[in-house]
Amino acid sequence: MALQDFEFIPLTENTEIFPFDCGEEDLNAFFLEDAKKYLHDLLAVTYLFIDPNAKKTVAYFSLLNDKISLVPEEQKRWNKLNRKISNAKRRRNYPAVKIGRLAVSRDYSGMGIGAAIINFIKHAFTHGNRTGCRFITVDALSSAVGFYQSDVCRFEFFTEKDVNDDTRLMLFDLKPFRDASL
């Protein structure tokens, strides 16, 4: 199955929530209890892929605005990132979109849906985007780091300060992705 086999909808305060279980309690709870509150408070927007025949939520992801900023103790990493940006445009901060949450139902896992969603987000922010956005960021759960590092997703660590934390700040530079698709 592919993403186009499912109905894609933005979550609204009136959206009927179909059953969902990705196996990660925090991700389940966000979707079932908090996603509409984040929407109401203008903190994040959540999008759903629905299987209308089975009346199930296949997957969801939440997006919010973000930025990446110079971390003084990570100057070498920042310099490497800055070299990808023309001198006249270099700054101490760059615009980003954060994947606040991304989860695929256990019923649909192993079908490539998570990777397809990452590519969907990359495409959305490089083709017809309404605002400047150079990077995608994510605070990846340690259990999801491998997924984000995979050859399909290609996220990189932003810092080494969080190496022992439950989550790792990772980023993806959208410009090479856009340039490759031109």
Side-chain angles (χ1 to χ4, degrees):
M1 296 186 124
L3 287 183
Q4 60 265 27
D5 295 332
F6 306 113
E7 186 177 332
F8 175 70
I9 60 169
L11 182 74
T12 69
E13 293 186 22
N14 299 318
T15 301
E16 180 181 359
I17 301 295
F18 292 129
F20 181 80
D21 179 13
C22 68
E24 182 72 46
E25 191 51 44
D26 179 59
L27 293 171
N28 290 338
F30 175 82
F31 176 62
L32 298 170
E33 300 165 18
D34 295 329
K36 287 184 179 182
K37 295 173 190 172
Y38 273 67
L39 175 69
H40 179 78
D41 288 337
L42 303 177
L43 298 175
V45 177
T46 300
Y47 299 91
L48 316 176
F49 285 95
I50 303 293
D51 183 339
N53 297 325
K55 293 198 178 235
K56 291 183 179 180
T57 301
V58 174
Y60 80 88
F61 63 94
S62 294
L63 300 175
L64 57 146
N65 293 326
D66 197 11
K67 69 177 179 178
I68 59 169
S69 300
L70 168 66
V71 179
E73 54 272 9
E74 298 277 350
Q75 188 68 47
K76 282 184 181 179
R77 199 174 283 272
W78 189 258
N79 290 343
K80 180 182 173 191
L81 186 138
N82 250 346
R83 282 192 288 278
K84 298 177 182 178
I85 298 172
S86 62
N87 283 337
K89 305 295 182 213
R90 291 184 182 168
R91 307 202 176 293
R92 293 183 159 281
N93 303 292
Y94 294 111
V97 63
K98 180 177 282 288
I99 300 171
R101 304 283 197 294
L102 187 158
V104 177
S105 170
R106 283 198 238 196
D107 295 340
Y108 299 87
S109 68
M111 297 179 177
I113 292 170
I117 290 172
I118 293 292
N119 283 329
F120 177 86
I121 295 168
K122 289 175 182 178
H123 190 272
F125 282 90
T126 55
H127 296 80
N129 188 21
R130 295 182 179 179
T131 184
C133 179
R134 176 67 188 250
F135 298 94
I136 299 174
T137 62
V138 65
D139 293 319
L141 292 171
S142 53
S143 61
V145 164
F147 166 74
Y148 286 104
Q149 284 182 306
S150 72
D151 288 340
V152 175
C153 298
R154 298 183 184 264
F155 279 66
E156 299 175 2
F157 296 117
F158 181 66
T159 182
E160 291 301 316
K161 288 179 10 179
D162 58 2
V163 73
N164 294 317
D165 294 352
D166 293 337
T167 61
R168 297 287 312 269
L169 177 57
M170 301 180 79
L171 64 90
F172 179 84
D173 187 349
L174 285 164
K175 188 166 185 305
F177 176 83
R178 186 211 56 196
D179 293 349
S181 65
L182 292 178

